[in-house]
Amino acid sequence: MELTYYSDFAVRLVNTEEPLRGTDSLTSVDAVRGLFGEAQHAARRAGEGDVTRLRGVRSRLRAVFTAAAEGDEVAAVDLLNALLLEYPASPQISGHDHLDEAGRPRWHLHLAEHPSSATAGYAAIACMGLAFQLTDLGVDRLGICEAAPCRNAYIDTSTNRSKRYCSDRCATRANVAAYRARKRRERALSGRTDDASRRSAEPSEP
């Protein structure tokens, strides 16, 4: 499994909260376990305390994405480095479950899951995966959706570095909103032009 895959753990955690909408889905032990997906070994350690601890990690990861989106690359890297120091990962070579056509292992790096807590395990995976994406693609590939009120985090893997929204749905909503705003401006401008034309056509008083 490519280590960049683990960056999805960071995006998934950050997007459990929508600050401008006032929603938060990270409210229970089941929600914590649901974040892990197929990585269930660390999830089994989840307890009530992990809800609060993971919320703290979430805030710090959002700060990484926000700094990157604002063009402050140094701050984004510093924030992520602080998390990496606090939640170190344990890379191991794996491959016995992934064989090629000749039956030989497809060796790859895997982040081992033997943490002290669910939070430690999840944070280590998320931060290491994000670090690999950041160094592979560039800090500017980390973004915050521009479609208000959505503020979801995303990683731009497009070839032309053009992504501005977290999903096609948000891109469509933003385009529709921009179109309607443009039409309102055009109608307002047309109304002012018509008023000016009428006033200029009125006969002046003798």
Side-chain angles (χ1 to χ4, degrees):
M1 182 180 296
E2 296 183 3
L3 291 181
T4 51
Y5 156 82
Y6 292 111
S7 62
D8 184 56
F9 280 63
V11 173
R12 199 183 308 162
L13 176 58
V14 172
N15 293 346
T16 59
E17 181 184 31
E18 295 182 284
L20 296 184
R21 290 191 173 105
T23 63
D24 187 346
S25 62
L26 186 55
T27 58
S28 66
V29 175
D30 284 342
V32 171
R33 290 174 179 154
L35 284 170
F36 283 85
E38 296 179 359
Q40 292 299 319
H41 179 69
R44 288 194 292 270
R45 298 173 177 263
E48 291 293 340
D50 288 298
V51 176
T52 301
R53 287 191 291 268
L54 270 176
R55 283 179 170 180
V57 174
R58 178 180 66 188
S59 296
R60 295 169 67 183
L61 281 172
R62 178 174 285 279
V64 174
F65 280 92
T66 299
E70 293 174 349
D72 195 342
E73 295 193 2
V74 174
V77 170
D78 287 345
L79 290 166
L80 185 54
N81 273 336
L83 281 163
L84 288 167
L85 285 172
E86 189 170 342
Y87 299 103
S90 301
Q92 291 185 344
I93 299 172
S94 180
H96 294 293
D97 296 330
H98 300 80
L99 305 180
D100 62 17
E101 294 79 3
R104 294 171 303 199
R106 296 180 184 273
W107 299 115
H108 60 275
L109 280 176
H110 173 76
L111 296 184
E113 297 175 30
H114 39 73
S116 59
S117 68
T119 296
Y122 195 96
I125 290 172
C127 294
M128 182 60 74
L130 192 59
F132 272 94
Q133 282 282 28
L134 184 151
T135 53
D136 185 45
L137 298 177
V139 182
D140 61 332
R141 294 299 190 109
L142 309 186
I144 296 291
C145 186
E146 295 181 14
C150 180
R151 297 295 291 163
N152 278 351
Y154 66 83
I155 297 174
D156 182 4
T157 56
S158 65
T159 56
N160 57 359
R161 298 174 181 261
S162 61
K163 191 169 182 177
R164 297 169 54 200
Y165 308 104
C166 68
S167 64
D168 290 341
R169 179 182 178 184
C170 277
T172 299
R173 190 171 70 247
N175 290 334
V176 169
Y179 172 80
R180 289 174 176 170
R182 185 169 63 252
K183 287 299 181 181
R184 285 195 297 270
R185 289 194 299 270
E186 290 174 356
R187 286 195 296 270
L189 180 60
S190 176
R192 288 195 295 270
T193 302
D194 290 344
D195 288 343
S197 298
R198 283 195 296 272
R199 285 195 297 271
S200 62
E202 292 176 355
S204 56
E205 294 182 1

